Amino acid sequence: MIIVMEHDANLEQINHVIKKIEDFGYKSHVIKGVEQTVIGAIGDERDKMELKNYMESSPGVSNVIEILKPYKLASKELHKEKMVIDVNGVKIGGSQFVVMAGPCSVESSEQIVETARAVKEAGAQILRGGAYKPRTSPYAFQGMEEEGLQLLAEARDATGLPIVTEVMNPREADLVARYADILQIGARNVQNFSLLKEIGKIPKPIFLKRGMMTTIKEFLMSAEYIMSEGNKEVILCERGIRTFETATRNTLDISAIPVLKAETHLPVFVDPSHATGYWHLVETMAKASVAAGADGLMIEVHPRPAEAYSDGPQSLKPKKFKKLMDDLRPYIKLEGKHL
Ligand code: PEP
Ligand code: MN
């Protein structure tokens, strides 16, 4: 429910509304605009009529609007303006087009530092790399775990690039958060609700990937889980969904970008590497993503893809990544953004 305050509502009236929202068992979410203050009342809506009636007759309240979507904090109904998330000076969701690039897995100090230097040189603003890897086979490389996090921190020190890395388990959330600037929730964990609740308590931006079997509504409900715990800084990432098509690893749902943009104020990214599974398809899908209105991309880059511990076939060599970045610039400009 959205409680819109009068233009001249005073602090006492605003505080009274917040207190009452909480007395009714809801959480309040205050948005102070230039013109007026808007307060979201978020919670179990079974007895919403009582709250609505109370608020409609409260001093200082202009009007009360119900949020019709099942996602409330993630909905544009509550947040009209686009959200811009600042990660060590990199502004995600604004006029800057942000590229997160790096290897699928962190493999060694040399590998991650070499890749970090190369992607920075090409224009990427954030370094990606997995230390905890969600592999289909239990016998496949599972990631370097904490040592991998340390190597990511080393690459950050060497280049200044903020780092995004995946957290797979609520037990490791605090540990990963000690190293990472952005916490990634992978496609396989998009509906791991206990993990979502745990990381929702951590004050670091979350990079939430769409599951291969989640609808856009379910995806936004997962963002809502995180936001309902207090963490409002969620970046959404379309990374391909599972369809009958086998020519590509997944099917990139390009229309998810404008659909999400219409529904939410949160930044929307695309990962053309996992979406296609092949490095030679990354460029076209990256261009399509820019044209469809994405706020940024996540791309896998490896100095020697043939030797990569994971996802070599979809990883770009640094030289190809540099060319991709150069080729993307006019598309980004056409969208009124810059790298
Ligand atoms: C990844 O980004 O390393 C990854 C495993 O991606 P996804 O969760 O989208 O499969
Ligand atoms: Mn990967």
Side-chain angles (χ1 to χ4, degrees):
M1 194 174 301
I2 302 169
I3 295 125
V4 184
M5 302 302 293
E6 305 269 14
H7 293 271
D8 55 359
N10 60 37
L11 199 60
E12 197 186 324
Q13 291 167 332
I14 293 172
N15 286 340
H16 176 74
V17 166
I18 295 170
K19 182 171 181 308
K20 275 314 208 186
I21 288 172
E22 282 155 19
D23 287 351
F24 272 92
Y26 286 71
K27 278 188 187 164
S28 61
H29 179 74
V30 184
I31 303 160
K32 282 205 162 69
V34 202
E35 294 281 307
Q36 59 196 151
T37 298
V38 166
I39 306 169
I42 313 294
D44 185 340
E45 299 211 318
R46 271 174 299 187
D47 41 30
K48 63 181 175 192
M49 285 323 289
E50 223 182 310
L51 176 69
K52 190 165 190 271
N53 291 339
Y54 183 92
M55 287 302 165
E56 273 169 346
S57 56
S58 286
V61 172
S62 162
N63 59 334
V64 180
I65 308 159
E66 283 187 49
I67 305 176
L68 301 172
K69 303 283 180 182
Y71 32 90
K72 314 287 177 188
L73 296 168
S75 167
K76 251 196 177 162
E77 288 181 62
L78 183 56
H79 277 270
K80 303 253 180 290
E81 281 166 36
K82 274 184 79 174
M83 174 173 245
V84 179
I85 301 174
D86 190 324
V87 184
N88 304 356
V90 179
K91 294 192 171 56
I92 298 173
S95 59
Q96 186 177 26
F97 190 85
V98 174
V99 179
M100 304 177 177
C104 180
S105 300
V106 179
E107 298 168 4
S108 67
S109 165
E110 297 70 32
Q111 174 246 17
I112 193 67
V113 173
E114 180 183 352
T115 314
R117 291 212 165 98
V119 299
K120 183 180 182 178
E121 149 85 17
Q125 302 96 331
I126 292 174
L127 174 68
R128 68 145 284 146
Y132 294 88
K133 295 304 303 175
R135 305 303 302 280
T136 303
S137 166
Y139 309 117
F141 175 63
Q142 302 285 304
M144 291 182 78
E145 305 185 342
E146 189 171 1
E147 197 187 341
L149 298 174
Q150 285 162 355
L151 298 182
L152 279 168
E154 189 185 318
R156 173 178 50 206
D157 290 345
T159 58
L161 293 178
I163 52 183
V164 54
T165 195
E166 179 163 353
V167 51
M168 284 173 52
N169 194 314
R171 281 198 306 270
E172 291 139 8
D174 287 332
L175 175 69
V176 179
R178 251 181 272 145
Y179 291 91
D181 300 294
I182 304 173
L183 296 171
Q184 177 170 324
I185 298 295
R188 291 153 191 82
N189 270 320
V190 70
Q191 288 191 310
N192 181 341
F193 300 119
S194 36
L195 178 62
L196 299 180
K197 283 188 192 173
E198 197 61 36
I199 51 124
K201 297 188 186 92
I202 297 174
K204 292 235 170 158
I206 307 297
F207 191 77
L208 180 67
K209 296 187 101 178
R210 180 181 180 185
M212 52 266 271
M213 301 289 271
T214 37
T215 63
I216 290 174
K217 187 170 154 188
E218 287 163 343
F219 187 26
L220 285 167
M221 291 310 288
S222 293
E224 189 77 14
Y225 257 96
I226 298 168
M227 298 172 90
S228 70
E229 292 295 329
N231 188 346
K232 306 290 175 348
E233 298 193 323
V234 180
I235 303 153
L236 303 169
C237 180
E238 159 61 38
R239 45 77 73 209
I241 52 175
R242 187 157 282 182
T243 68
F244 55 81
E245 184 54 69
T246 55
T248 47
R249 183 175 178 182
N250 293 287
T251 298
L252 178 59
D253 182 7
I254 208 87
S255 58
I257 306 163
V259 172
L260 284 167
K261 288 262 154 202
E263 292 296 307
T264 182
H265 61 294
L266 300 173
V268 177
F269 272 54
V270 174
D271 172 349
S273 308
H274 289 90
T276 60
Y278 297 102
W279 67 266
H280 62 270
L281 297 175
V282 168
E283 183 185 334
T284 39
M285 292 302 98
K287 286 177 178 166
S289 304
V290 174
D295 293 295
L297 294 166
M298 173 176 266
I299 295 177
E300 285 189 340
V301 178
H302 194 289
R304 289 160 293 279
E307 293 166 23
Y309 292 3
S310 57
D311 286 350
Q314 68 193 32
S315 299
L316 290 172
K317 289 181 183 162
K319 229 172 149 176
K320 287 224 162 61
F321 175 68
K322 170 91 173 71
K323 183 173 182 308
L324 165 65
M325 292 293 276
D326 292 342
D327 291 350
L328 278 180
R329 277 172 215 274
Y331 290 80
I332 293 168
K333 197 165 169 216
L334 210 59
E335 288 295 311
K337 297 177 192 152
H338 59 90
L339 258 176

Short mmCIF file of all heavy atoms in Angstrom, two decimals, residues 16-55:
data_model
loop_
_atom_site.label_atom_id
_atom_site.label_comp_id
_atom_site.label_asym_id
_atom_site.label_seq_id
_atom_site.Cartn_x
_atom_site.Cartn_y
_atom_site.Cartn_z
N HIS A 16 3.99 9.86 12.54
CA HIS A 16 2.78 9.20 13.04
C HIS A 16 2.35 8.08 12.07
O HIS A 16 2.03 6.97 12.49
CB HIS A 16 1.65 10.22 13.21
CG HIS A 16 0.36 9.59 13.63
ND1 HIS A 16 0.13 9.12 14.90
CD2 HIS A 16 -0.77 9.31 12.91
CE1 HIS A 16 -1.08 8.58 14.96
NE2 HIS A 16 -1.65 8.69 13.77
N VAL A 17 2.39 8.40 10.79
CA VAL A 17 2.01 7.40 9.76
C VAL A 17 2.96 6.20 9.84
O VAL A 17 2.53 5.05 9.85
CB VAL A 17 2.02 8.05 8.35
CG1 VAL A 17 1.98 6.99 7.26
CG2 VAL A 17 0.84 9.01 8.20
N ILE A 18 4.27 6.48 9.94
CA ILE A 18 5.26 5.39 10.01
C ILE A 18 5.00 4.52 11.23
O ILE A 18 4.99 3.29 11.15
CB ILE A 18 6.71 5.97 10.05
CG1 ILE A 18 7.02 6.70 8.74
CG2 ILE A 18 7.74 4.87 10.32
CD1 ILE A 18 8.30 7.50 8.75
N LYS A 19 4.73 5.16 12.36
CA LYS A 19 4.50 4.41 13.61
C LYS A 19 3.26 3.53 13.46
O LYS A 19 3.27 2.35 13.84
CB LYS A 19 4.34 5.38 14.77
CG LYS A 19 4.16 4.64 16.09
CD LYS A 19 4.21 5.52 17.30
CE LYS A 19 4.05 4.70 18.58
NZ LYS A 19 2.90 3.81 18.58
N LYS A 20 2.22 4.11 12.88
CA LYS A 20 0.97 3.35 12.75
C LYS A 20 1.14 2.15 11.80
O LYS A 20 0.61 1.07 12.04
CB LYS A 20 -0.15 4.27 12.24
CG LYS A 20 -0.83 5.03 13.38
CD LYS A 20 -1.12 4.10 14.50
CE LYS A 20 -2.27 4.40 15.37
NZ LYS A 20 -2.39 3.50 16.52
N ILE A 21 1.90 2.36 10.72
CA ILE A 21 2.17 1.26 9.77
C ILE A 21 2.79 0.10 10.55
O ILE A 21 2.39 -1.05 10.41
CB ILE A 21 3.11 1.74 8.63
CG1 ILE A 21 2.37 2.67 7.69
CG2 ILE A 21 3.69 0.54 7.86
CD1 ILE A 21 3.25 3.34 6.63
N GLU A 22 3.75 0.46 11.40
CA GLU A 22 4.45 -0.59 12.17
C GLU A 22 3.54 -1.20 13.24
O GLU A 22 3.56 -2.41 13.47
CB GLU A 22 5.77 -0.04 12.71
CG GLU A 22 6.79 -0.03 11.57
CD GLU A 22 7.93 0.95 11.68
OE1 GLU A 22 8.18 1.43 12.81
OE2 GLU A 22 8.56 1.25 10.64
N ASP A 23 2.68 -0.38 13.87
CA ASP A 23 1.72 -0.91 14.85
C ASP A 23 0.77 -1.92 14.20
O ASP A 23 0.35 -2.89 14.82
CB ASP A 23 0.87 0.23 15.45
CG ASP A 23 1.69 1.08 16.41
OD1 ASP A 23 2.84 0.68 16.74
OD2 ASP A 23 1.19 2.15 16.84
N PHE A 24 0.46 -1.69 12.93
CA PHE A 24 -0.44 -2.61 12.22
C PHE A 24 0.30 -3.88 11.76
O PHE A 24 -0.28 -4.74 11.13
CB PHE A 24 -1.05 -1.91 10.99
CG PHE A 24 -2.33 -1.16 11.28
CD1 PHE A 24 -2.32 0.18 11.63
CD2 PHE A 24 -3.56 -1.81 11.19
CE1 PHE A 24 -3.50 0.87 11.89
CE2 PHE A 24 -4.75 -1.12 11.44
CZ PHE A 24 -4.73 0.22 11.80
N GLY A 25 1.59 -3.93 12.04
CA GLY A 25 2.38 -5.13 11.70
C GLY A 25 3.01 -5.08 10.32
O GLY A 25 3.45 -6.11 9.80
N TYR A 26 3.06 -3.91 9.73
CA TYR A 26 3.66 -3.76 8.40
C TYR A 26 5.07 -3.15 8.53
O TYR A 26 5.39 -2.58 9.57
CB TYR A 26 2.82 -2.81 7.53
CG TYR A 26 1.54 -3.41 7.04
CD1 TYR A 26 0.47 -3.66 7.90
CD2 TYR A 26 1.36 -3.72 5.70
CE1 TYR A 26 -0.72 -4.21 7.45
CE2 TYR A 26 0.18 -4.28 5.23
CZ TYR A 26 -0.86 -4.51 6.12
OH TYR A 26 -2.02 -5.05 5.66
N LYS A 27 5.83 -3.23 7.45
CA LYS A 27 7.12 -2.54 7.43
C LYS A 27 6.92 -1.26 6.63
O LYS A 27 6.22 -1.26 5.61
CB LYS A 27 8.18 -3.40 6.73
CG LYS A 27 8.79 -4.44 7.66
CD LYS A 27 9.96 -5.12 6.99
CE LYS A 27 10.47 -6.28 7.84
NZ LYS A 27 11.33 -7.18 7.09
N SER A 28 7.56 -0.18 7.07
CA SER A 28 7.41 1.07 6.32
C SER A 28 8.63 1.28 5.44
O SER A 28 9.73 0.84 5.76
CB SER A 28 7.25 2.24 7.29
OG SER A 28 8.40 2.34 8.08
N HIS A 29 8.38 1.93 4.33
CA HIS A 29 9.46 2.20 3.38
C HIS A 29 9.25 3.64 2.90
O HIS A 29 8.31 3.92 2.15
CB HIS A 29 9.37 1.20 2.23
CG HIS A 29 10.41 1.38 1.20
ND1 HIS A 29 11.72 1.04 1.39
CD2 HIS A 29 10.34 1.90 -0.05
CE1 HIS A 29 12.41 1.34 0.31
NE2 HIS A 29 11.60 1.87 -0.57
N VAL A 30 10.08 4.53 3.38
CA VAL A 30 9.86 5.97 3.13
C VAL A 30 10.65 6.44 1.92
O VAL A 30 11.84 6.18 1.81
CB VAL A 30 10.28 6.79 4.38
CG1 VAL A 30 9.98 8.27 4.18
CG2 VAL A 30 9.59 6.26 5.64
N ILE A 31 9.96 7.11 1.01
CA ILE A 31 10.64 7.70 -0.15
C ILE A 31 10.39 9.21 -0.09
O ILE A 31 9.25 9.67 -0.28
CB ILE A 31 10.11 7.11 -1.48
CG1 ILE A 31 10.26 5.59 -1.46
CG2 ILE A 31 10.85 7.71 -2.67
CD1 ILE A 31 9.37 4.88 -2.45
N LYS A 32 11.45 9.94 0.18
CA LYS A 32 11.31 11.41 0.29
C LYS A 32 11.59 12.03 -1.07
O LYS A 32 12.72 12.04 -1.53
CB LYS A 32 12.30 11.94 1.34
CG LYS A 32 11.84 11.72 2.77
CD LYS A 32 12.47 12.76 3.71
CE LYS A 32 11.74 12.86 5.02
NZ LYS A 32 11.87 11.69 5.89
N GLY A 33 10.55 12.55 -1.71
CA GLY A 33 10.74 13.21 -3.00
C GLY A 33 10.91 14.70 -2.79
O GLY A 33 10.82 15.19 -1.67
N VAL A 34 11.18 15.41 -3.89
CA VAL A 34 11.35 16.86 -3.79
C VAL A 34 9.99 17.49 -3.44
O VAL A 34 9.89 18.39 -2.61
CB VAL A 34 11.84 17.45 -5.14
CG1 VAL A 34 12.52 18.79 -4.95
CG2 VAL A 34 12.78 16.49 -5.85
N GLU A 35 8.95 16.98 -4.09
CA GLU A 35 7.62 17.55 -3.93
C GLU A 35 6.91 17.04 -2.67
O GLU A 35 6.33 17.80 -1.92
CB GLU A 35 6.76 17.15 -5.14
CG GLU A 35 7.23 17.78 -6.43
CD GLU A 35 6.78 19.21 -6.57
OE1 GLU A 35 5.57 19.45 -6.43
OE2 GLU A 35 7.65 20.08 -6.78
N GLN A 36 6.93 15.71 -2.49
CA GLN A 36 6.22 15.15 -1.36
C GLN A 36 6.83 13.82 -0.91
O GLN A 36 7.62 13.22 -1.62
CB GLN A 36 4.73 14.97 -1.68
CG GLN A 36 4.46 14.08 -2.85
CD GLN A 36 3.04 14.24 -3.38
OE1 GLN A 36 2.82 14.03 -4.54
NE2 GLN A 36 2.08 14.57 -2.55
N THR A 37 6.40 13.40 0.27
CA THR A 37 6.89 12.13 0.81
C THR A 37 5.86 11.04 0.53
O THR A 37 4.66 11.24 0.66
CB THR A 37 7.12 12.28 2.33
OG1 THR A 37 8.13 13.27 2.51
CG2 THR A 37 7.59 10.98 2.96
N VAL A 38 6.40 9.89 0.13
CA VAL A 38 5.54 8.73 -0.15
C VAL A 38 6.01 7.62 0.78
O VAL A 38 7.21 7.41 0.95
CB VAL A 38 5.71 8.32 -1.63
CG1 VAL A 38 5.14 6.96 -1.90
CG2 VAL A 38 5.07 9.35 -2.55
N ILE A 39 5.06 6.94 1.42
CA ILE A 39 5.46 5.88 2.35
C ILE A 39 4.81 4.56 1.92
O ILE A 39 3.59 4.48 1.76
CB ILE A 39 5.04 6.23 3.80
CG1 ILE A 39 5.61 7.61 4.18
CG2 ILE A 39 5.53 5.16 4.79
CD1 ILE A 39 5.06 8.18 5.45
N GLY A 40 5.63 3.57 1.73
CA GLY A 40 5.12 2.24 1.39
C GLY A 40 4.85 1.47 2.67
O GLY A 40 5.65 1.50 3.59
N ALA A 41 3.70 0.80 2.74
CA ALA A 41 3.40 -0.09 3.87
C ALA A 41 3.42 -1.50 3.31
O ALA A 41 2.57 -1.87 2.49
CB ALA A 41 2.04 0.23 4.47
N ILE A 42 4.43 -2.28 3.69
CA ILE A 42 4.66 -3.58 3.07
C ILE A 42 4.45 -4.69 4.09
O ILE A 42 5.04 -4.66 5.17
CB ILE A 42 6.10 -3.67 2.50
CG1 ILE A 42 6.46 -2.43 1.68
CG2 ILE A 42 6.30 -4.96 1.72
CD1 ILE A 42 5.70 -2.21 0.40
N GLY A 43 3.63 -5.66 3.73
CA GLY A 43 3.44 -6.79 4.65
C GLY A 43 2.29 -7.67 4.19
O GLY A 43 1.78 -7.54 3.07
N ASP A 44 1.89 -8.56 5.06
CA ASP A 44 0.78 -9.47 4.80
C ASP A 44 -0.50 -8.64 4.62
O ASP A 44 -0.87 -7.87 5.51
CB ASP A 44 0.65 -10.43 6.00
CG ASP A 44 -0.39 -11.50 5.76
OD1 ASP A 44 -1.26 -11.32 4.89
OD2 ASP A 44 -0.32 -12.52 6.47
N GLU A 45 -1.15 -8.80 3.48
CA GLU A 45 -2.24 -7.87 3.15
C GLU A 45 -3.61 -8.35 3.58
O GLU A 45 -4.62 -7.77 3.19
CB GLU A 45 -2.22 -7.60 1.66
CG GLU A 45 -0.91 -6.95 1.22
CD GLU A 45 -1.06 -6.04 0.04
OE1 GLU A 45 -1.78 -6.43 -0.88
OE2 GLU A 45 -0.47 -4.94 0.05
N ARG A 46 -3.68 -9.38 4.43
CA ARG A 46 -5.00 -9.93 4.76
C ARG A 46 -5.92 -8.91 5.42
O ARG A 46 -7.10 -8.88 5.16
CB ARG A 46 -4.86 -11.18 5.62
CG ARG A 46 -4.75 -12.42 4.75
CD ARG A 46 -4.47 -13.64 5.55
NE ARG A 46 -3.19 -13.49 6.26
CZ ARG A 46 -2.63 -14.48 6.94
NH1 ARG A 46 -3.21 -15.65 7.02
NH2 ARG A 46 -1.47 -14.31 7.55
N ASP A 47 -5.32 -8.06 6.31
CA ASP A 47 -6.20 -7.06 6.92
C ASP A 47 -5.85 -5.65 6.47
O ASP A 47 -5.80 -4.72 7.26
CB ASP A 47 -6.25 -7.20 8.45
CG ASP A 47 -4.88 -7.47 9.05
OD1 ASP A 47 -3.88 -7.02 8.45
OD2 ASP A 47 -4.80 -8.15 10.06
N LYS A 48 -5.61 -5.54 5.17
CA LYS A 48 -5.19 -4.24 4.64
C LYS A 48 -6.28 -3.17 4.72
O LYS A 48 -5.98 -1.99 4.81
CB LYS A 48 -4.69 -4.39 3.21
CG LYS A 48 -5.73 -4.85 2.23
CD LYS A 48 -5.15 -5.00 0.85
CE LYS A 48 -6.20 -5.60 -0.07
NZ LYS A 48 -5.70 -6.03 -1.32
N MET A 49 -7.57 -3.59 4.70
CA MET A 49 -8.64 -2.60 4.69
C MET A 49 -8.64 -1.73 5.95
O MET A 49 -8.90 -0.54 5.92
CB MET A 49 -10.02 -3.26 4.51
CG MET A 49 -10.30 -3.72 3.09
SD MET A 49 -9.66 -2.62 1.80
CE MET A 49 -10.77 -1.23 1.95
N GLU A 50 -8.29 -2.41 7.05
CA GLU A 50 -8.24 -1.69 8.33
C GLU A 50 -7.18 -0.58 8.27
O GLU A 50 -7.42 0.55 8.67
CB GLU A 50 -7.86 -2.70 9.42
CG GLU A 50 -8.66 -2.57 10.71
CD GLU A 50 -8.15 -3.59 11.73
OE1 GLU A 50 -8.05 -4.79 11.35
OE2 GLU A 50 -7.84 -3.19 12.84
N LEU A 51 -6.00 -0.95 7.76
CA LEU A 51 -4.90 0.01 7.64
C LEU A 51 -5.29 1.13 6.67
O LEU A 51 -5.07 2.31 6.94
CB LEU A 51 -3.63 -0.71 7.15
CG LEU A 51 -2.42 0.18 6.89
CD1 LEU A 51 -1.85 0.76 8.18
CD2 LEU A 51 -1.30 -0.61 6.18
N LYS A 52 -5.90 0.74 5.57
CA LYS A 52 -6.29 1.72 4.54
C LYS A 52 -7.26 2.75 5.13
O LYS A 52 -7.08 3.95 4.98
CB LYS A 52 -6.92 0.97 3.36
CG LYS A 52 -7.14 1.83 2.13
CD LYS A 52 -7.42 0.96 0.91
CE LYS A 52 -7.41 1.78 -0.36
NZ LYS A 52 -8.71 2.34 -0.70
N ASN A 53 -8.29 2.24 5.84
CA ASN A 53 -9.28 3.14 6.44
C ASN A 53 -8.63 4.09 7.43
O ASN A 53 -8.93 5.27 7.47
CB ASN A 53 -10.39 2.34 7.15
CG ASN A 53 -11.24 1.60 6.13
OD1 ASN A 53 -11.26 1.97 4.95
ND2 ASN A 53 -11.92 0.54 6.57
N TYR A 54 -7.72 3.54 8.24
CA TYR A 54 -7.06 4.38 9.24
C TYR A 54 -6.27 5.49 8.55
O TYR A 54 -6.37 6.67 8.91
CB TYR A 54 -6.13 3.54 10.13
CG TYR A 54 -5.50 4.37 11.23
CD1 TYR A 54 -6.11 4.48 12.48
CD2 TYR A 54 -4.33 5.08 10.98
CE1 TYR A 54 -5.55 5.29 13.47
CE2 TYR A 54 -3.77 5.88 11.96
CZ TYR A 54 -4.37 5.98 13.20
OH TYR A 54 -3.83 6.79 14.17
N MET A 55 -5.48 5.09 7.54
CA MET A 55 -4.59 6.05 6.88
C MET A 55 -5.38 7.13 6.14
O MET A 55 -4.98 8.29 6.12
CB MET A 55 -3.66 5.33 5.90
CG MET A 55 -2.58 4.53 6.59
SD MET A 55 -1.60 5.60 7.66
CE MET A 55 -0.75 4.40 8.66
#
